[in-house]
């Protein structure tokens, strides 16, 4: 078998740390790959006026699979100030390279698993009927439509007359907003297409089938948002009936789901949602299993481009510590998702088992797991460094 090529996109700040540490784990599990590093992030914005250079896009187009750390993103004004003086006033405008990647490659499927590790002191706990403490084992995988819906950027403030006229053809708009001056109106649209909706639904059902989940929960609001959520709900019912009869389809509303999140999170398996609700629900579940140090994700396209990344950012505050204190597990878990994706499931399982053993033992914990605030002195106070955490995981391997 030929050796794979993986594009490494360390990015900025702690993205570099967690990716480097993760490569050590991949090596320890004898995963063989050629790694090529791609340029992305704030440094390239400052130097070149582009945080996502074309050469990086070309690399990913060629090799298809990337491990991505995290990048630093800043508001437009700050970005303009940070730009290399030679490039100022030459028309360079900052835009997030994450959004850039997502749009360029149409990474429409976002997957965010949230699984409880036994012994993680950050696990969500609740009281049972007799006042006893319960620690539900969460094992949820969220499938979020990643390119459409409320985040697609089709929006206006003070819309043009033509846009306003078009909206006025909608009777509800005319009745409720028709008398408001258009200068006082902002509109953000929520567009779902059948194609992308079908893809995210199918991906969710396939995942349930392949990984033994008994249910797929559609988490939307079809009783109120009738057109978009309503379409997704109808399509989910049809897909379940025709192609996935062995998997149960549950339907929850996003608001109620946020309540059930803490009441019975262990009951859910695969959850599928549009862009905004998927974003909300995945952060909600991530909070139950330890938060940013544990939250991993994948984004993938129909053309087979796949990017695996922790959901946390570059945490610039911690980037320059002499000894890195951040939790590398979210990035390591993201690499496990990559291994699953390229059919190296045994290696992924070995890594997850090693991580589980380290957490269950409880001897090696990064500062977040000890509920400390992140300062250089956490090491002195007993927290493990990023490197020590990875050493412990490698020991178990
Ligand atoms: P952040 O995720 O970088 O950090 C927020 C806080 O979470 C940190 O201060 C730290 O307390 C904690 N944290 C994050 N990762 C951790 C880890 N691995 N272990 C332990 N604790 C961890 O989000 P923030 O501070 O809002 O943004 C910082 C920069 O990152 C910004 O420039 C932002 O635009 C960017 N960002 C990038 C993302 C990406 O690359 N995917 C996602 C989110 C933010
Ligand atoms: Mg989010």
């Amino acid at each position: 078998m030929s050796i794979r090529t993986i594009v490494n996109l360390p990015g900025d700040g702690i993205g570099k740390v967690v990716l480097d540490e993760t490569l050590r784990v991949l090596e320890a599990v004898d995963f063989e790959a050629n790694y090529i590093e791609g340029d992305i992030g704030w440094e390239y914005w400052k130097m070149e006026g582009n945080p996502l250079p074309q050469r990086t896009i070309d690399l990913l187009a060629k090799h298809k699979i990337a491990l991505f750390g995290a990048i630093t993103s800043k508001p437009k004004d700050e970005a303009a100030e940070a730009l290399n003086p030679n490039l100022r006033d030459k028309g360079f405008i900052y835009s997030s390279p994450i959004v850039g990647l997502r749009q360029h490659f149409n990474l429409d499927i976002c997957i965010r698993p949230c699984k409880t590790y036994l012994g993680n002191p950050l696990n969500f706990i609740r009281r049972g009927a007799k006042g006893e403490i319960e620690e539900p084992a969460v094992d949820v995988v969220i499938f979020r439509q990643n390119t459409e819906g409320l985040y697609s950027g089709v929006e206006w403030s003070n819309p043009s007359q033509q846009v306003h006229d078009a909206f006025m053809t909608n009777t509800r708009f005319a009745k409720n907003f028709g008398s408001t001056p258009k200068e006082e109106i902002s509109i953000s649209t929520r567009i779902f297409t059948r194609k992308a909706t079908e893809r995210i639904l199918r991906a969710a059902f396939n995942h349930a089938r392949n990984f033994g989940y008994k249910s797929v929960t559609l988490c939307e609001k079809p009783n109120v948002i009738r057109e978009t959520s309503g379409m997704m709900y109808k399509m989910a019912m049809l897909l379940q009936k025709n192609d996935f009869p062995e998997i149960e389809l549950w339907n929850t509303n996003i608001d109620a789901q946020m309540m059930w999140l803490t009441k019975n999170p262990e009951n859910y398996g695969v959850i599928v949602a549009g862009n905004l609700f998927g974003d909300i629900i995945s952060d909600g579940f991530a909070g139950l299993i330890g938060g940013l140090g544990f939250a991993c994700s994948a984004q993938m396209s129909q053309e087979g481009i796949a990017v695996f990344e922790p959901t946390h950012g570059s945490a610039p505050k911690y980037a320059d510590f002499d000894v890195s204190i951040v939790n590398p597990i979210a990035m390591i878990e993201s690499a496990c998702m990559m291994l699953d994706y390229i059919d190296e499931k045994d290696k992924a399982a070995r890594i997850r088992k090693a991580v589980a053993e380290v957490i269950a033992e409880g001897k090696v914990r990064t500062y977040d797991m000890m509920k400390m605030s992140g300062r250089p002195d956490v090491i002195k106070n007993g927290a493990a460094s990023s490197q020590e955490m990875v050493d412990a995981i490698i020991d178990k391997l």
Side-chain angles (χ1 to χ4, degrees):
M1 207 178 75
S2 65
I3 296 186
R4 284 175 192 284
T5 300
I6 309 283
V7 179
N8 284 341
L9 304 173
D12 302 304
I14 66 164
K16 296 181 187 161
V17 174
V18 293
L19 182 48
D20 270 355
E21 291 297 339
T22 297
L23 295 180
R24 292 207 292 133
V25 177
L26 289 172
E27 193 187 329
V29 82
D30 294 324
F31 173 63
E32 273 189 80
N34 296 316
Y35 297 106
I36 305 187
E37 196 161 306
D39 301 336
I40 191 168
W42 196 244
E43 288 309 310
Y44 300 95
W45 161 252
K46 289 200 299 192
M47 288 187 304
E48 304 175 22
N50 185 358
L52 177 61
Q54 183 62 39
R55 59 185 180 277
T56 305
I57 292 182
D58 295 343
L59 261 187
L60 189 52
K62 180 162 177 212
H63 301 295
K64 311 250 186 256
I65 295 177
L67 286 171
F68 179 23
I71 52 98
T72 297
S73 220
K74 292 186 190 173
K76 278 198 181 119
D77 296 351
E78 272 180 68
E81 266 170 45
L83 194 57
N84 175 342
N86 299 329
L87 300 177
R88 282 191 203 149
D89 306 316
K90 297 220 167 101
F92 292 99
I93 295 174
Y94 183 80
S95 70
S96 157
I98 298 181
V99 177
L101 271 182
R102 195 177 295 165
Q103 286 173 348
H104 182 88
F105 290 108
N106 195 21
L107 302 170
D108 66 327
I109 290 183
C110 173
I111 311 175
R112 291 188 174 184
C114 296
K115 189 166 176 174
T116 302
Y117 277 115
L118 214 67
N120 182 352
L122 301 178
N123 286 343
F124 167 69
I125 53 173
R126 72 177 170 221
R127 289 205 185 276
K130 299 191 180 94
E132 74 280 22
I133 287 182
E134 298 174 342
E135 191 172 317
V138 177
D139 180 3
V140 157
V141 188
I142 290 111
F143 280 70
R144 160 188 169 195
Q145 207 296 324
N146 213 24
T147 48
E148 302 191 335
L150 255 180
Y151 290 178
S152 55
V154 184
E155 40 189 6
W156 304 267
S157 285
N158 186 12
S160 71
Q161 195 58 48
Q162 191 185 14
V163 170
H164 192 265
D165 288 348
F167 273 94
M168 285 298 279
T169 65
N170 179 292
T171 47
R172 280 213 187 79
F173 184 92
K175 178 164 170 264
N176 295 323
F177 306 105
S179 60
T180 306
K182 73 183 186 54
E183 303 78 50
E184 289 178 28
I185 294 179
S186 290
I187 300 171
S188 302
T189 62
R190 188 176 202 256
I191 301 173
F192 282 28
T193 64
R194 294 188 72 86
K195 184 174 167 205
T197 304
E198 157 112 22
R199 259 177 59 73
I200 194 72
L201 288 170
R202 201 170 273 286
F205 275 106
N206 271 326
H207 191 88
R209 176 175 282 168
N210 294 340
F211 291 88
Y213 291 90
K214 71 172 186 172
S215 67
V216 168
T217 302
L218 175 68
C219 180
E220 278 285 322
K221 186 109 182 166
N223 56 334
V224 176
I225 314 176
R226 289 172 190 273
E227 301 305 329
T228 45
S229 292
M231 176 180 88
M232 194 167 190
Y233 179 49
K234 277 185 224 144
M235 289 177 72
M237 283 199 297
L238 209 64
L239 191 65
Q240 186 272 341
K241 183 163 162 258
N242 292 338
D243 294 353
F244 298 93
E246 83 280 13
I247 300 188
E248 291 175 32
L249 173 65
W250 300 352
N251 178 37
T252 60
N253 287 340
I254 175 69
D255 47 346
Q257 181 73 67
M258 292 315 288
M259 182 184 60
W260 289 325
L261 187 71
T262 48
K263 281 191 107 165
N264 60 345
E266 68 273 43
N267 291 3
Y268 296 93
V270 173
I271 297 184
V272 62
N275 207 337
L276 171 66
F277 295 164
D279 197 11
I280 293 173
I281 203 77
S282 56
D283 274 13
F285 272 100
L288 304 180
I289 58 130
L292 287 176
F294 294 86
C296 56
S297 79
Q299 304 187 63
M300 46 192 69
S301 77
Q302 183 155 24
E303 286 72 36
I305 308 281
V307 179
F308 300 87
E309 58 180 309
T311 61
H312 64 72
S314 61
K317 276 189 298 189
Y318 307 159
D320 297 327
F321 287 12
D322 289 336
V323 176
S324 176
I325 63 165
V326 294
N327 190 343
I329 291 176
M331 181 80 236
I332 293 169
E333 283 282 338
S334 305
C336 289
M337 294 182 77
M338 177 193 75
L339 292 174
D340 279 343
Y341 177 78
I342 59 180
D343 226 7
E344 295 272 12
K345 294 195 178 63
D346 292 351
K347 293 189 169 72
R350 279 180 59 205
I351 296 174
R352 289 189 180 111
K353 181 162 171 283
V355 172
E357 284 171 17
V358 171
I359 294 175
E361 237 173 51
K363 284 193 234 150
V364 179
R365 288 174 170 171
T366 45
Y367 83 96
D368 54 320
M369 299 172 73
M370 302 179 81
K371 308 194 186 196
M372 295 172 167
S373 60
R375 291 195 309 254
D377 65 2
V378 297
I379 305 284
K380 202 176 67 206
N381 295 327
S385 66
S386 315
Q387 190 186 342
E388 284 166 339
M389 173 56 88
V390 166
D391 288 343
I393 292 167
I394 291 175
D395 271 353
K396 296 294 177 193
L397 288 169

